[in-house]
Amino acid sequence: MHNKKLVLRWDRNFFAILCIVVVLFGSLGPFSKYRMVPSFLLFAILLLNISFNQKKFKICSNFVPWILFIIYLIINSLLFNLSGGINYLIMPFVGVLLVATYFDILDIKFLCRLLCVGSFVFALFTYANKSNPNIILDFFGNFIHDGQKITIERDLYYGGIPGLAGESSFNAFFISYGLFYAAACLVINFNFSSLIYICFLMGAVFLTGKRSFLLLDLAIIFLCILIGIRRKYNIKRTYFYGSSSVVVLALSPLLYKNVYSILTKGGSSIDLSNRNWFWEMAFELFRKNPILGSGINTYDYLYNSRKQGLSYIAFAGAHNSYIQLLAETGIVGEILFLIAIGGAIFFSIKCIANTHNSKYIVYAIFSVISQIFILIYAFTENPFYQPQQFIFYFLTLSICFNVDRCSDNDELIHQYL
């Protein structure tokens, strides 16, 4: 009888745990009081993965800009805001470990399917929440704190559906990931099931009332359809999209009325939801120390000193990650951050160009779509400050890095056959 070395299968289990944690905690979900718990939990899981399987962990040269950015954040935290810096640093630390961990194509496939199922469940609860506004409070009322209940009630009052996430923004955020994967599938292979799935999820996104998601999701779907038609022209695909265009044009007056109402929030012009006030505070902070910034996570100190009300807000955010990072880390930190995200998206697009295996390329396209979405979304929200959204950015980035590794391994195998 041969002795077999015990190898813990952390990869697929890790992905499952990752998705479940995100679903449970959300950005402002049922357990939002402990918003940093998922980051610390994932950090522990990744360290266990490395300790049990060191061969499946490698930091490549393409990720050096992120490491330089983290080193700068450590210095910045030591100089200006150590306690706030530690809470922020755990997120890019998790990201580096996540991208450096090797996952095979089966793991990536498992993750994408799990994300699609999760998005479907979130969408389903969104429709249920629309028909029964109290369904979330009835299910989770004993687990969520009063502040979260106020968030749910406020979203419902203004016409947004918080759904299972307990907050309409994160609800739309998670639903969108399943939508992006289905859109990536349309680029490679036309099928009706993906279109039906996209329509189902898009309806749920519409119910959340979030303008950024509504516009970006529609733009991404339209772009993927155009690329798909150009890539694989056939009469069936052209006939279907032509018929769909006629239906959309016929419904356009109704769609325009509803979309315009969401964009203007019932008013007569586009409403920035006081974002100009948030941005001005960030620029005020930036002017105090433009080179090195005021320290990571210091924006909320200024916000709490200016806002009306007695309660302290742990995280408000400038509703623009780029402006907030500029204010808190200065010109030096902003340049390092832009190099890091720019290098990552350049590598990911290059990965699509270099991947010729059809079973890999759909995951690379999904990764690029997701990254571009977050980079644009960061102009109006706080994805690089919200732990779950930041982790999702690195998660989708890791897909491209691992697709590249899998492609290289396949080429090596073919060379020796």
Side-chain angles (χ1 to χ4, degrees), residues 100-113:
T101 303
Y102 176 82
F103 300 104
D104 60 35
I105 200 67
L106 292 176
D107 302 323
I108 297 171
K109 184 177 181 180
F110 177 79
L111 167 67
C112 291
R113 287 184 174 181

Side-chain angles (χ1 to χ4, degrees), residues 348-394:
S348 300
I349 294 172
K350 185 179 176 183
C351 178
I352 293 178
N354 295 336
T355 302
H356 305 293
N357 191 324
S358 60
K359 71 178 181 180
Y360 295 159
I361 197 168
V362 65
Y363 304 119
I365 294 172
F366 166 63
S367 174
V368 170
I369 290 172
S370 302
Q371 289 177 62
I372 291 174
F373 165 76
I374 292 182
L375 297 183
I376 297 174
Y377 179 58
F379 281 102
T380 59
E381 286 296 341
N382 311 295
F384 293 114
Y385 281 84
Q386 293 284 15
Q388 288 72 30
Q389 293 179 341
F390 205 170
I391 287 168
F392 257 67
Y393 166 78
F394 283 114

Side-chain angles (χ1 to χ4, degrees), residues 76-86 294-298 301:
N76 183 275
S77 300
L78 290 172
L79 290 174
F80 300 111
N81 185 23
L82 182 59
S83 59
I86 291 172
S294 61
I296 195 72
N297 273 344
T298 55
Y301 299 151

Side-chain angles (χ1 to χ4, degrees), residues 10-213:
W10 282 104
D11 35 29
R12 292 192 186 99
N13 292 334
F14 161 72
F15 277 140
I17 292 170
L18 173 65
C19 294
I20 290 169
V21 164
V22 171
V23 169
L24 287 177
F25 286 87
S27 285
L28 291 169
F31 303 97
S32 63
K33 187 176 181 181
Y34 311 102
R35 62 190 291 269
M36 293 306 300
V37 169
S39 302
F40 286 100
L41 178 60
L42 292 178
F43 185 67
I45 292 171
L46 284 165
L47 287 179
L48 284 172
N49 182 39
I50 294 167
S51 62
F52 281 104
N53 208 345
Q54 295 179 7
K55 292 182 180 179
K56 297 188 74 174
F57 178 82
K58 181 182 179 181
I59 296 178
C60 63
S61 59
N62 292 307
F63 215 64
V64 170
W66 275 109
I67 296 174
L68 294 176
F69 178 63
I70 290 173
I71 292 172
Y72 175 76
L73 286 179
I74 293 172
I75 297 170
N76 183 275
S77 300
L78 290 172
L79 290 174
F80 300 111
N81 185 23
L82 182 59
S83 59
I86 291 172
N87 274 336
Y88 187 87
L89 276 165
I90 192 66
M91 293 184 286
F93 265 127
V94 168
V96 170
L97 294 178
L98 182 60
V99 176
T101 303
Y102 176 82
F103 300 104
D104 60 35
I105 200 67
L106 292 176
D107 302 323
I108 297 171
K109 184 177 181 180
F110 177 79
L111 167 67
C112 291
R113 287 184 174 181
L114 199 57
L115 286 174
C116 287
V117 171
S119 296
F120 179 82
V121 171
F122 266 55
L124 200 61
F125 262 86
T126 302
Y127 288 110
N129 198 186
K130 176 66 176 178
S131 61
N132 179 8
N134 295 319
I135 189 171
I136 303 301
L137 292 176
D138 290 342
F139 271 94
F140 300 106
N142 295 326
F143 298 97
I144 56 181
H145 55 85
D146 292 338
Q148 186 59 46
K149 292 178 182 178
I150 292 171
T151 298
I152 293 172
E153 292 169 355
R154 184 187 63 206
D155 277 349
L156 291 169
Y157 177 79
Y158 286 108
I161 305 299
L164 190 61
E167 199 272 339
S168 56
S169 290
F170 187 73
N171 191 26
F173 182 86
F174 195 78
I175 292 170
S176 295
Y177 273 85
L179 192 149
F180 296 155
Y181 180 72
C185 291
L186 284 181
V187 174
I188 303 303
N189 184 34
F190 170 82
N191 61 78
F192 285 101
S193 59
S194 293
L195 285 170
I196 293 170
Y197 179 75
I198 285 173
C199 291
F200 181 78
L201 295 188
M202 199 65 225
V205 171
F206 183 84
L207 290 177
T208 65
K210 304 310 293 184
R211 297 171 293 177
S212 300
F213 292 97

Side-chain angles (χ1 to χ4, degrees), residues 297-362:
N297 273 344
T298 55
Y299 174 85
D300 291 313
Y301 299 151
L302 179 61
Y303 170 81
N304 280 282
S305 69
R306 299 285 176 84
K307 77 174 184 67
Q308 296 180 348
L310 298 176
S311 60
Y312 183 86
I313 304 298
F315 177 78
H319 291 77
N320 185 316
S321 292
Y322 304 107
I323 293 176
Q324 186 168 348
L325 278 167
L326 180 66
E328 295 179 344
T329 65
I331 295 173
V332 176
E334 183 80 358
I335 290 173
L336 289 172
F337 178 72
L338 292 177
I339 291 172
I341 60 175
I345 195 66
F346 175 79
F347 169 81
S348 300
I349 294 172
K350 185 179 176 183
C351 178
I352 293 178
N354 295 336
T355 302
H356 305 293
N357 191 324
S358 60
K359 71 178 181 180
Y360 295 159
I361 197 168
V362 65

